[in-house]
Amino acid sequence: VVEGDATKGSIAGGDTHVESLRWTAGTISTEVPKPESFAFQPPAGFTEVAKLEGAAAPKAKAETNPLVGKASPNFTFDIIDGPDKLKKVSRADLLGKVVLIDFWATWCGPCLKELPDIQKLIEAYGKAGKEVVVVALSIDQNEQGDLKEVRKLVEAKLSEMRLSLKAEGANPVGMVGLDPLGRVAERFGVEAIPFVVVIDAQGTIRAIHVGLTEREVFVEEIDALLAGKPIEK
């Protein structure tokens, strides 16, 4: 209800305003409602069931991406290779192994949530001695591509999370890579992270996942490729 002088304002920008607001709850009853008032009544043609059998949440599947099924683009990035040491790794260096590349950044919440699962992957395949490489490739950027500064940032975050992203022993399953200019990310068309690419031993991209993904999905895909089987869609 608008009260007062309605001629003071206009739709076009005057000072018309609400002076008071009234409402009514309608007829109020103190009678206790019958139990059936709250009973579920299935619509015609439907049957009520106690629970849904096998209704677990579906696992995340590989996203349809035009790169899947094609040879991965050529790439080279630096990996942390001991105190104050970096080492360049290229696509050619990884041929012959099943490769998982996890594009992440220190400022990305979902990425940080996924990293412990990446650590578990690295530890499991390192212990099993499988021909697998898991690369945690940071896309933390630096305008000058200063690897030293980006490395400090990445190592500080991993130390804070108590992660090494390496496997115990000499099996080089885990690698921490740096892509400060985003060149590798650009080649793979990374627009959102976490962004995970699974590549077979021949260098062909077999799966791409965007967003937080269950570790079991990665395990199934890697194991399938190790066995020479296709990844289930």
Side-chain angles (χ1 to χ4, degrees):
V1 177
V2 178
E3 297 179 340
D5 186 359
T7 63
K8 290 195 302 181
S10 68
I11 299 292
D15 62 349
T16 299
H17 58 284
V18 176
E19 295 284 355
S20 65
L21 180 65
R22 302 171 184 161
W23 66 280
T24 175
T27 304
I28 299 176
S29 173
T30 58
E31 182 181 352
V32 178
K34 298 178 181 179
E36 55 266 27
S37 298
F38 299 98
F40 172 69
Q41 297 294 329
F46 290 83
T47 303
E48 181 180 2
V49 295
K51 65 178 180 178
L52 296 177
E53 297 293 341
K59 293 181 179 180
K61 290 296 181 182
E63 176 176 302
T64 301
N65 186 295
L67 289 179
V68 174
K70 297 180 181 179
S72 74
N74 287 321
F75 56 81
T76 300
F77 51 78
D78 291 272
I79 65 169
I80 297 175
D81 189 40
D84 300 320
K85 291 177 61 180
L86 294 172
K87 177 182 177 181
K88 290 194 178 297
V89 173
S90 68
R91 176 182 184 274
D93 296 324
L94 301 178
L95 289 176
K97 296 184 178 183
V98 174
V99 179
L100 182 147
I101 303 177
D102 175 27
F103 291 87
W104 69 287
T106 57
W107 45 262
C108 169
C111 299
L112 302 182
K113 189 173 181 180
E114 190 170 76
L115 281 184
D117 276 347
I118 298 298
Q119 176 74 58
K120 291 176 182 177
L121 275 181
I122 291 170
E123 292 172 350
Y125 286 109
K127 185 176 181 180
K130 299 291 186 179
E131 292 295 304
V132 176
V133 172
V134 177
V135 183
L137 185 56
S138 162
I139 64 169
D140 286 281
Q141 295 187 359
N142 182 282
E143 292 182 0
Q144 290 74 38
D146 190 332
L147 289 169
K148 185 177 295 185
E149 291 303 313
V150 172
R151 175 178 181 158
K152 288 181 181 177
L153 184 66
V154 169
E155 288 184 322
K157 177 58 67 175
L158 294 181
S159 176
E160 176 188 326
M161 297 180 68
R162 298 182 180 180
L163 297 174
S164 67
L165 300 181
K166 299 285 182 69
E168 292 184 5
N171 196 340
V173 171
M175 297 180 180
V176 179
L178 307 175
D179 185 25
L181 293 177
R183 290 172 178 167
V184 181
E186 183 179 3
R187 286 178 175 269
F188 281 92
V190 176
E191 295 182 349
I193 52 176
F195 184 101
V196 174
V197 182
V198 181
I199 305 172
D200 68 17
Q202 289 71 47
T204 301
I205 297 174
R206 294 302 178 188
I208 289 179
H209 301 274
V210 182
L212 197 60
T213 304
E214 299 92 336
R215 176 165 50 98
E216 291 74 14
V217 174
F218 300 144
V219 171
E220 289 176 3
E221 293 178 345
I222 292 173
D223 288 348
L225 294 178
L226 286 172
K229 298 178 181 179
I231 291 177
E232 294 184 8
K233 302 298 183 182

